[in-house]
Amino acid sequence: GGKRRSSALSPQPQLKGVGCKSSPSSPNQRASAFGNGTSMRSSTSSSSSPFTTNWSTDDDKITRVVLPHFMPSRCFNQLLTYIYTAAVPELHRSATIEEIFHLLRASRLYSLDGLRMLFDIISRQRVLGDMDDAIHCLRCLTDYRQHYPGELEDFRLFCFQHLLNNYDQVLQRDDLDTLQPSVLVELMRLRQGADGSGLSGVGGLPYQYGNPQSPGSPPVTTHPVGFPTPNFGQSTNSSLALFKVLQELQKQFVQDMKKLLEDSANYDYSLVVGDKSFGVHSAILAARCAFFAGAFRSTMRESKNRSMRVLIGEVEPPPEAFESLLAYIYTGRADFTPYQAVYLGQAAGFYGFSNDRLSLLCQKRILQNLSVANSLKILAASYEVNALETRATAMECIVRNFTDIALQSQEEMARLPKRVLLDIMMAYAEEQRGGSASPKVLSP
């Protein structure tokens, strides 16, 4: 037997809603979670906007935003998790059907196409996996469509098709009478069509959902560009669709973070390297690097100057290398040259990254791209930052190809520090004394 569940429109009384001090209790505040909602304005608001309150604490201006609709705080935390990370782990694991629909409405209000796609896939997985969830989804969906008529038509038909495929089991459920009368009438009408009345299309569903070639297929939601259209004929298809959507979400997240780094409108701090200044967002760097978290707390507390000159250890890196480091911090993408990698390989330990990923990426970039053309430059940089492993690798390449490098890069060799030149001469002499094989290029 099934379980009786409260309507999806009833806010969770044990949860505090975002933008209010306690769960809504008045009739207006208990308006549907999927409707227009209420403003729940702050009594102290002095802003021209009905939903914001501004005040100042010391020198920092804080903006309070009161959402114009009720959303349980757990759902709002999930929404923030998605915005910050492009993932909602609870949505896959423990989210209730009501929470899933709250996030659906948030995706509609705030134009979060990726979150809408997650709803498409996870809601269907829940329908296929549990009959309780299937009936509950249909009940929530009916309430939702009262406020947004015509939306989610493909999902509505999907739910009906699943109930029709398990019609005998559905009839025995105790919670069947919790469905709205209009839903029960539609279910019986569709059942008659499935028994051979000849109805087709939206009315009759004479097909199995998930076959795009079937006659009378339901209208398919237009998905955002780049997101795959899920096929739910089999559970493996839904898992693959979820994987692909998560991949697209990560790609979009990287692009969004790249845009944030390039957008100067919201910079709140500047980092100076050489003669170049880089605008940054202190919250991003503090979250990613222990060094910057401590530095920002210190400088912001002790000085109004939001600018700092930065080093990597005791070395001031080339500005282009530090620019690549900022791109890595924001996006997690390693887009730097082997020369820059020599400096960035020392950054992971100095700045307190949470893992050694950057160091490993730098080592890989150097080893895969070390050549006759760049070996002198990489060797000089390794001396500057005292990168012993990189120094040994570059020196081996130079010694084995000394004749070619000496003839092709005379000016570059002449600019090397005296210590580096002496070490090259000593290493080449040792190589000759050992009677090594003829030189060969390590990398093309």
Side-chain angles (χ1 to χ4, degrees):
K3 302 176 183 177
R4 292 182 181 272
R5 302 191 184 190
S6 60
S7 169
L9 300 185
S10 301
Q12 306 294 326
Q14 74 276 14
L15 295 175
K16 293 184 178 182
V18 173
C20 53
K21 294 183 179 179
S22 61
S23 300
S25 57
S26 67
N28 288 337
Q29 287 182 331
R30 284 193 178 275
S32 168
F34 308 127
N36 292 329
T38 60
S39 64
M40 290 184 273
R41 302 180 189 181
S42 169
S43 59
T44 61
S45 176
S46 60
S47 170
S48 58
S49 169
F51 306 132
T52 63
T53 301
N54 300 329
W55 70 89
S56 295
T57 302
D58 298 329
D59 297 323
D60 297 324
K61 188 174 183 181
I62 302 174
T63 301
R64 182 186 183 214
V65 179
V66 182
L67 299 183
H69 65 281
F70 176 79
M71 177 183 289
S73 57
R74 173 178 156 91
C75 293
F76 190 71
N77 284 334
Q78 293 171 351
L79 177 63
L80 290 178
T81 298
Y82 171 79
I83 293 173
Y84 274 81
T85 68
V88 190
E90 293 84 356
L91 198 59
H92 310 278
R93 302 168 187 164
S94 60
T96 66
I97 299 301
E98 286 91 347
E99 289 171 347
I100 292 175
F101 272 84
H102 273 296
L103 292 174
L104 168 66
R105 182 174 188 247
S107 71
R108 185 185 191 278
L109 290 173
Y110 307 127
S111 300
L112 300 173
D113 291 338
L115 186 58
R116 170 69 169 81
M117 284 301 305
L118 284 177
F119 168 85
D120 279 350
I121 295 175
I122 293 172
S123 60
R124 285 168 166 80
Q125 289 180 333
R126 297 288 289 269
V127 167
L128 293 175
D130 189 299
M131 188 58 70
D132 284 351
D133 287 342
I135 290 180
H136 201 38
C137 273
L138 192 55
R139 185 164 56 244
C140 292
L141 178 61
T142 304
D143 291 336
Y144 180 89
R145 282 166 59 90
Q146 289 178 357
H147 299 282
Y148 306 111
E151 290 195 8
L152 301 179
E153 178 66 10
D154 57 332
F155 181 56
R156 185 184 76 90
L157 295 177
F158 178 87
C159 292
F160 274 122
Q161 181 67 70
H162 183 65
L163 296 185
L164 290 176
N165 292 342
N166 301 273
Y167 193 71
D168 292 340
Q169 178 185 348
V170 171
L171 291 180
Q172 299 176 18
R173 296 185 60 84
D174 294 337
D175 59 348
L176 186 61
D177 60 350
T178 64
L179 290 173
Q180 296 86 339
S182 60
V183 176
L184 294 173
V185 171
E186 180 72 1
L187 181 62
M188 289 186 289
R189 185 173 71 85
L190 293 175
R191 173 64 177 177
Q192 291 177 352
D195 283 339
S197 64
L199 295 176
S200 62
V202 175
L205 295 174
Y207 61 89
Q208 292 294 319
Y209 189 92
N211 181 1
Q213 304 302 323
S214 299
S217 297
V220 178
T221 301
T222 301
H223 299 298
V225 175
F227 289 98
T229 301
N231 181 346
F232 293 91
Q234 299 177 1
S235 59
T236 54
N237 289 338
S238 64
S239 298
L240 179 60
L242 177 59
F243 175 75
K244 289 182 177 179
V245 167
L246 292 176
Q247 280 188 320
E248 292 298 330
L249 288 178
Q250 288 301 316
K251 291 179 182 178
Q252 186 60 53
F253 180 75
V254 168
Q255 292 300 317
D256 291 341
M257 293 301 292
K258 185 177 180 180
K259 291 178 183 177
L260 178 65
L261 177 59
E262 296 170 351
D263 183 7
S264 62
N266 295 311
Y267 292 155
D268 63 349
Y269 211 91
S270 62
L271 301 177
V272 181
V273 180
D275 58 354
K276 190 170 183 179
S277 177
F278 297 92
V280 296
H281 307 83
S282 59
I284 301 293
L285 268 63
R288 296 276 283 162
C289 308
F291 172 87
F292 286 117
F296 291 149
R297 280 196 300 267
S298 175
T299 56
M300 290 180 179
R301 180 172 59 248
E302 298 174 359
S303 172
K304 294 183 180 180
N305 181 23
R306 291 178 174 264
S307 178
M308 178 174 60
R309 183 169 292 277
V310 294
L311 304 172
I312 297 179
E314 298 180 354
V315 176
E316 186 173 78
E320 61 272 16
F322 190 77
E323 187 173 19
S324 296
L325 176 62
L326 288 178
Y328 174 82
I329 292 173
Y330 274 73
T331 69
R333 295 296 177 90
D335 186 16
F336 41 76
T337 66
Y339 171 67
Q340 295 170 1
V342 179
Y343 293 92
L344 301 188
Q346 312 303 308
F350 180 75
Y351 287 128
F353 288 174
S354 59
N355 55 58
D356 293 329
R357 179 173 179 265
L358 179 59
S359 296
L360 295 174
L361 289 173
C362 289
Q363 293 175 15
K364 182 178 179 181
R365 184 62 53 86
I366 293 170
L367 290 174
Q368 290 182 344
N369 296 276
L370 182 63
S371 66
V372 169
N374 61 20
S375 57
L376 289 176
K377 190 174 184 180
I378 290 176
L379 180 67
S382 69
Y383 272 82
E384 186 176 3
V385 300
N386 198 30
L388 300 182
E389 185 175 348
T390 301
R391 182 190 305 177
T393 303
M395 185 69 76
E396 181 182 0
C397 178
I398 293 170
V399 169
R400 288 182 177 272
N401 301 277
F402 183 79
T403 302
D404 292 337
I405 293 175
L407 293 175
Q408 298 174 13
S409 308
Q410 295 181 18
E411 293 184 3
E412 187 175 357
M413 289 191 71
R415 291 195 297 267
L416 291 175
K418 182 178 180 180
R419 175 193 174 190
V420 178
L421 281 172
L422 290 175
D423 283 351
I424 293 175
M425 293 173 61
M426 291 296 297
Y428 183 70
E430 290 292 334
E431 178 78 5
Q432 294 300 310
R433 179 185 299 176
S436 63
S438 58
K440 65 177 183 179
V441 177
L442 297 182
S443 298

